[in-house]
Amino acid sequence: MRNMRTPHLATTKTVTALLCMLGVISNAHAQFATTIIPVTPPETAASTQQAAPAKAASKPATKPAAAKPAVPAAAPAAAAATPATPATSTGGRVDPRPVDSILVVVNNEVITRQEVAERLASVEKRMASQNVQLPPRAQLVRQLVERMIVERAQAQMAKENGIVVDDGMLDRAMQRIAEQNKLSMPEFRARLESEGMNYASFREEIRREILSQRLREREVDNKVVVTESEIDNYLAAEANAGGQRQELDIAQILIRVPENASPEQLAARRDRAEDVLRQLKTGADFAKTAAAYSDAADALTGGDLGWRPTDRLPQLFLDGVAKLQDGQVSGLLKSGNGFHILKLVGRRDAGGTQAAAPAVQQTHVRHILIKVNQVVTAAEAKRKLTELKERLDHGASFEELAKLYSNDLSASKGGDLGWIYPGDTVPEFERAMDQLKPGEVSQPIETPFGYHLIQVVERKTDDASKERTRQAARQAIRDRKIEEATEDWMRQIRDRAYVEYRNDE
């Protein structure tokens, strides 16, 4: 069961990344609320115009009654400011008041200028705190709006698939983040606020992250296949390397190419990538340039991927930086998603991978999963499993009930997940599993995937075995494939969305 083996969201590294992603929504956002207009590259505008009829044919966008014209490819500079509506105070003084309005239509929803202004203030503060040079405002806004378009399209897809992150699930995620930072919830909240972060905004960012992860697991992770021959090749390559591993710190700039791009679009994107490369070769700051031009999800953090083992990086990246010295920049690298420019930040040894690992406890476990969606509420899922637990307590067969009622791919095997190592499942599942004795069945347990009944079949202690080595290799290959597939999936989401930019009249 792939989804139960997905690494959980709230790791220390992920928490740090999420903390970096967010900044305070300051009072300064009011001054931006009426001045933000996205700068849309001509090729992006063209692709949006072409995609709109196809999208409308299958799912017409619901537009406000007073529809406004789309932003032209080259918006005049004067259009970047919209006067605020004056408001007269009781003392007769006229004070400016920001007026919110629609900036972008994404399918049948909108992104407003106020939303973008709030995120812009947050991003600018975060980038300044990380000493990332700010690109020109128009370029930063364009990047931010593109990210928000993808986020909105993802949220719509999640809703259509019945994926929901309710307040109870969010509260538990926040509790896990606090625990992993060794803080109580009041201390964690105080820490966020002391670092200039709005607690409510942070909660909503975590909600979006969980929603995106669950959607990705459904649309990407579960479709990734690792073959036995790939594992054999991986282990052979590792053996030829003498068991020595390296980690690389790489930053990237991605100029994404639309799905089914025309020759003209492809040429325009290549020209853009070559222009970016020329800027870097003449001394432009890589992080600032990434924030201004990159279409990757990490653009607003300067494009830095952080330290990663070589087996977690695409072969294209490994080949691209193979001959680079620290600090050097690659040439253009072409992938299915577009054109990449890489900077090798550093290399370091990660030690051997063939050393004997300590003995670990394995658990043979099975479960019954009832997923929560638009049709089945959390209360109904819990009630149903409570009924099944009573039947199990009175002698019913776990295997037969799993085949009849479980909403997991393991249902056909009676809910059997096989032998589980520590860390293979999400924390909620693992904690409940570890508390059970062989043969014992848990009460209904909630995880990000729904509600479970868990039964431990047996346990054993195992040394690092051939099976475990192959499992580790499988996971390394899978992680690499998932990252590549996720980039392609996000490109498809953006390309297939109906997007219309608006100007104030």
Side-chain angles (χ1 to χ4, degrees):
M1 173 185 171
R2 163 59 197 153
N3 60 355
M4 286 306 306
R5 296 173 184 263
T6 302
H8 57 86
L9 168 70
T11 62
T12 302
K13 182 175 180 180
T14 303
V15 173
T16 303
L18 289 173
L19 290 171
C20 290
M21 286 172 61
L22 296 171
V24 65
I25 297 178
S26 66
N27 292 331
H29 73 258
Q31 74 184 81
F32 305 138
T34 60
T35 63
I36 299 175
I37 293 292
V39 179
T40 308
E43 66 269 23
T44 302
S47 65
T48 300
Q49 296 288 347
Q50 293 172 2
K55 179 71 180 178
S58 59
K59 182 179 179 181
T62 303
K63 303 180 184 178
K68 301 177 184 178
V71 173
T82 305
T85 302
T88 305
S89 66
T90 54
R93 184 181 63 193
V94 177
D95 296 325
R97 183 178 66 192
V99 178
D100 201 7
S101 58
I102 295 172
L103 182 61
V104 186
V105 178
V106 183
N107 294 325
N108 60 352
E109 296 182 12
V110 301
I111 297 173
T112 68
R113 282 173 167 76
Q114 189 79 0
E115 291 178 86
V116 177
E118 291 173 351
R119 290 286 291 274
L120 179 63
S122 171
V123 167
E124 288 184 322
K125 179 165 184 173
R126 190 263 308 152
M127 292 178 70
S129 69
Q130 295 182 337
N131 297 319
V132 176
Q133 295 183 40
L134 291 172
R137 172 67 61 81
Q139 292 176 331
L140 182 59
V141 170
R142 183 187 66 82
Q143 292 288 78
L144 183 58
V145 170
E146 278 299 307
R147 171 174 288 191
M148 294 177 72
I149 288 170
V150 174
E151 288 177 354
R152 191 60 54 89
Q154 282 183 315
Q156 293 166 356
M157 182 182 290
K159 184 176 180 180
E160 291 171 358
N161 285 280
I163 300 174
V164 178
V165 180
D166 59 30
D167 288 341
M169 184 183 299
L170 184 58
D171 288 340
R172 284 182 286 277
M174 295 293 290
Q175 183 66 45
R176 288 198 302 273
I177 296 173
E179 290 173 356
Q180 293 185 356
N181 282 273
K182 297 181 171 56
L183 297 171
S184 65
M185 280 305 299
E187 291 171 337
F188 180 57
R189 183 166 186 163
R191 173 73 65 82
L192 289 176
E193 292 173 350
S194 71
E195 295 179 1
M197 297 183 187
N198 181 284
Y199 180 75
S201 298
F202 183 83
R203 274 178 57 89
E204 290 310 306
E205 183 68 21
I206 297 298
R207 191 195 300 272
R208 284 194 295 269
E209 287 293 319
I210 297 174
L211 196 69
S212 177
Q213 184 190 41
R214 293 183 64 187
L215 180 63
R216 191 205 70 191
E217 287 163 355
R218 175 190 176 105
E219 298 295 321
V220 180
D221 295 19
N222 289 336
K223 299 176 183 178
V224 170
V225 176
V226 179
T227 66
E228 293 301 314
S229 62
E230 288 176 315
I231 297 174
D232 292 339
N233 293 337
Y234 175 94
L235 294 175
E238 205 171 53
N240 291 335
Q244 293 299 315
R245 299 179 65 200
Q246 271 198 331
E247 289 182 343
L248 303 180
D249 187 359
I250 293 175
Q252 74 155 333
I253 293 173
L254 168 64
I255 305 302
R256 184 172 285 127
V257 173
E259 188 178 24
N260 301 319
S262 67
E264 292 78 14
Q265 288 176 311
L266 183 61
R269 289 293 172 142
R270 179 183 287 276
D271 289 344
R272 184 182 179 196
E274 289 176 345
D275 179 61
V276 171
L277 184 59
R278 279 193 295 270
Q279 293 182 43
L280 293 171
K281 295 294 187 183
T282 55
D285 180 77
F286 194 95
K288 178 180 178 180
T289 307
Y293 294 103
S294 180
D295 297 320
D298 48 41
L300 296 180
T301 56
D304 194 354
L305 303 179
W307 288 102
R308 296 192 184 186
T310 53
D311 58 19
R312 256 65 172 189
L313 288 167
Q315 190 61 44
L316 177 71
F317 284 19
L318 297 178
D319 294 340
V321 302
K323 297 181 180 180
L324 297 182
Q325 300 298 317
D326 291 0
Q328 289 186 327
V329 174
S330 73
L332 290 188
L333 305 173
K334 180 68 169 67
S335 75
N337 291 316
F339 298 97
H340 303 260
I341 303 171
L342 306 179
K343 177 182 177 180
L344 178 60
V345 181
R347 300 177 189 267
R348 67 186 183 191
D349 289 333
T353 60
Q354 304 299 322
V360 294
Q361 179 176 268
Q362 289 180 275
T363 305
H364 185 189
V365 65
R366 53 189 178 187
H367 77 145
I368 300 173
L369 169 64
I370 303 295
K371 293 183 178 179
V372 177
N373 51 43
Q374 290 178 320
V375 178
V376 180
T377 66
E380 290 171 341
K382 188 174 182 179
R383 178 184 55 78
K384 182 62 179 177
L385 287 181
T386 300
E387 294 175 356
L388 295 181
K389 174 68 163 59
E390 291 178 358
R391 292 173 62 179
L392 291 169
D393 290 342
H394 289 84
S397 166
F398 194 102
E399 182 178 356
E400 291 304 319
L401 292 184
K403 289 179 178 179
L404 288 173
Y405 298 105
S406 186
N407 301 145
D408 185 65
L409 294 175
S410 65
S412 62
K413 298 183 290 184
D416 195 342
L417 297 177
W419 288 99
I420 300 295
Y421 284 89
D424 280 351
T425 66
V426 292
E428 301 93 335
F429 191 98
E430 185 165 315
R431 281 195 296 267
M433 177 184 73
D434 289 345
Q435 293 172 4
L436 298 174
K437 299 176 182 177
E440 189 177 1
V441 178
S442 72
Q443 296 296 327
I445 302 297
E446 184 184 11
T447 76
F449 308 104
Y451 281 84
H452 312 251
L453 288 182
I454 304 170
Q455 183 185 51
V456 170
V457 180
E458 57 181 319
R459 287 194 172 94
K460 68 180 180 180
T461 300
D462 188 23
D463 295 326
S465 61
K466 181 179 179 180
E467 177 188 353
R468 181 60 169 167
T469 301
R470 292 186 68 83
Q471 182 180 341
R474 183 186 301 276
Q475 190 61 49
I477 298 168
R478 188 178 192 86
D479 289 345
R480 185 173 63 207
K481 283 189 166 187
I482 285 173
E483 183 156 353
E484 295 170 356
T486 298
E487 282 287 345
D488 187 55
W489 172 65
M490 292 180 67
R491 179 188 66 172
Q492 292 175 21
I493 288 177
R494 175 60 180 88
D495 291 344
R496 295 172 184 175
Y498 170 78
V499 178
E500 178 186 334
Y501 297 91
R502 296 289 184 87
N503 272 332
D504 282 338
E505 293 178 344

